Amino acid sequence: MSEALRRRFKEQIKAMFGAEPQKPALIEERAQKVHELKRLTNKAELAAAKEAHRARAKHHRWRNRRWLTLILVNLLFVVSFQLDIQILEGALTASRFIGFHLIDLNSALQVMLAHKHIITNLLIGTATVAVLWLLLGGRSFCSWVCPYHLLAEWAEKIHLWLAAKKLVVDQPIDRRLRSAFWVVFALLALLTGYTVYEAISPTGIVSRTIIYGAMSLWAFVWVLALLVFEIFFVRRAWCRYACPIGLTYGVIGIFSPLRIKYTLATCFHEGECRKVCLVPHVLDTVIKGRAVDIEVPIGPDCTRCGLCVDVCPTGSLKFDIKGLSKLM
Ligand code: SF4
Ligand code: SF4
């Protein structure tokens, strides 16, 4: 890894905890040459090429694969419970997949903080989940499994439709809030002895509702209020600025070999990817003059949702396995 990429990697970890990405101080020479070449390209030629790319039909290949996976995983819980076939028992917080215990990392942490000691049985299930999501990309849990993500994605579509009609305006919040919430929920568990976060987690609420078919009135009102807030006030508020699960899996994503990779040479910097991304701070590298190398891995806060891969007209963003192969 080049020195410029090493620095960027550290910046992206800081960005995950809420820091704003900065203009890079060091850009590899080969990347500088590409930036310069782009600067010298005839402006009319570039505009025509951009227009042609923009006009190209968009596809939803990765989004469709992801939605299908998310629905199937959650349905497997339902089928296992309803038919008592014991393939995937429990809910997303704690489950058993053909005998293997799986405990959500955040839930395990909350339980241990509430009980104030390390519970060995929980550690085994947690380690399995940590290894699983390390291999599969950390926050890919969010976009490929979390049922609230799907609801929020649909709410986001309504928000964007209303925003296009100038009926609502997104009001971004300081991203450091998510790290603050992570600490607050951990402290609440430690001080009260209750897993407070579990009671309000829309991930757990929606997962249990899908499986067991019942939701208390307050839980229904809470999830609905979150979605209404996201539609009318703050785009993707919960996932962007509050959910500690997303941050925990983001930390796992630091070590994951599965990521999105950016190629500078083919990019027109029109920014379509940043418009669809849940975490646009990870895509600051696509801004003109920002890429520190000719190929740049996207940071750990990326949910590996594939929306940018679908929307990029030049194929400059692709799934990639570190040191192995290009998937798309
Ligand atoms: S940030 Fe939280 S609620 Fe959003 S998708 Fe991830 S786990 Fe689900
Ligand atoms: S960078 Fe791409 S894959 Fe990652 S969260 Fe954003 S849109 Fe999804």
Side-chain angles (χ1 to χ4, degrees):
M1 190 193 274
S2 66
E3 176 56 24
L5 279 180
R6 228 188 312 275
R7 285 194 194 180
R8 179 179 157 80
F9 188 56
K10 284 185 196 154
E11 283 288 318
Q12 284 283 286
I13 294 174
K14 284 194 226 156
M16 183 168 69
F17 289 99
E20 278 316 305
Q22 302 296 320
K23 275 191 182 170
L26 177 68
I27 296 181
E28 286 298 311
E29 206 182 316
R30 52 189 174 228
Q32 283 179 27
K33 281 186 189 150
V34 180
H35 288 307
E36 185 61 12
L37 208 62
K38 287 184 176 195
R39 209 177 56 78
L40 297 175
T41 309
N42 178 299
K43 290 224 166 35
E45 241 175 69
L46 196 61
K50 273 185 182 177
E51 217 31 68
H53 280 123
R54 216 172 271 136
R56 236 196 249 171
K58 292 195 175 104
H59 61 80
H60 298 294
R61 201 175 300 149
W62 282 101
R63 188 204 66 183
N64 293 347
R65 287 173 188 169
R66 185 166 53 78
W67 282 8
L68 185 67
T69 309
L70 192 151
I71 290 167
L72 286 178
V73 169
N74 284 281
L75 269 183
L76 196 55
F77 277 111
V78 180
V79 172
S80 298
F81 175 70
Q82 296 295 342
L83 305 182
D84 197 18
I85 51 174
Q86 298 174 0
I87 295 177
L88 188 57
E89 304 160 84
L92 275 180
T93 331
S95 57
R96 210 165 61 165
F97 179 57
I98 43 175
F100 286 100
H101 287 277
L102 304 171
I103 319 272
D104 168 61
L105 301 180
N106 212 65
S107 307
L109 184 75
Q110 296 274 323
V111 170
M112 287 194 253
L113 285 172
H115 286 82
K116 295 172 193 59
H117 70 92
I118 293 180
I119 304 166
T120 321
N121 283 351
L122 277 189
L123 276 187
I124 297 165
T126 312
T128 318
V129 168
V131 172
L132 181 75
W133 290 109
L134 188 141
L135 294 175
L136 296 179
R139 283 204 76 187
S140 38
F141 168 83
C142 293
S143 60
W144 290 77
V145 171
C146 176
Y148 182 75
H149 188 285
L150 191 56
L151 297 182
E153 221 176 324
W154 292 337
E156 184 181 27
K157 288 199 178 302
I158 303 175
H159 171 89
L160 291 176
W161 181 75
L162 291 172
K165 294 195 172 306
K166 304 214 179 327
L167 294 170
V168 300
V169 181
D170 179 30
Q171 294 162 51
I173 309 175
D174 191 322
R175 287 190 304 101
R176 284 173 295 185
L177 192 63
R178 185 176 62 160
S179 304
F181 268 125
W182 196 99
V183 175
V184 167
F185 286 123
L187 283 177
L188 277 175
L190 191 69
L191 298 176
T192 65
Y194 289 102
T195 54
V196 180
Y197 175 69
E198 290 309 315
I200 63 156
S201 160
T203 308
I205 292 173
V206 178
S207 170
R208 287 190 294 275
T209 305
I210 294 170
I211 300 164
Y212 308 117
M215 187 190 253
S216 66
L217 182 64
W218 87 260
F220 174 76
V221 171
W222 166 239
V223 174
L224 190 67
L226 278 179
L227 292 170
V228 168
F229 184 68
E230 293 186 3
I231 290 172
F232 292 103
F233 301 101
V234 183
R235 180 179 174 185
R236 299 300 297 267
W238 183 261
C239 300
R240 278 184 175 170
Y241 309 109
C243 182
I245 303 179
L247 185 56
T248 305
Y249 282 96
V251 172
I252 295 288
I254 295 174
F255 310 100
S256 177
L258 177 66
R259 71 260 169 106
I260 300 288
K261 193 167 75 181
Y262 170 70
T263 305
L264 170 63
T266 47
C267 174
F268 277 112
H269 311 285
E270 78 287 6
E272 292 300 311
C273 51
R274 289 170 58 80
K275 290 183 201 152
V276 296
C277 184
L278 170 67
V279 279
H281 55 274
V282 303
L283 286 172
D284 67 308
T285 193
V286 311
I287 298 169
K288 216 173 194 169
R290 287 275 186 107
V292 298
D293 209 336
I294 50 172
E295 289 189 332
V296 182
I298 299 304
D301 210 12
C302 161
T303 67
R304 282 75 165 170
C305 71
L307 286 180
C308 60
V309 180
D310 280 345
V311 87
C312 176
T314 58
S316 303
L317 289 155
K318 289 190 168 119
F319 277 99
D320 177 71
I321 297 176
K322 193 177 176 182
L324 258 186
S325 67
K326 290 172 186 162
L327 285 181
M328 270 289 292

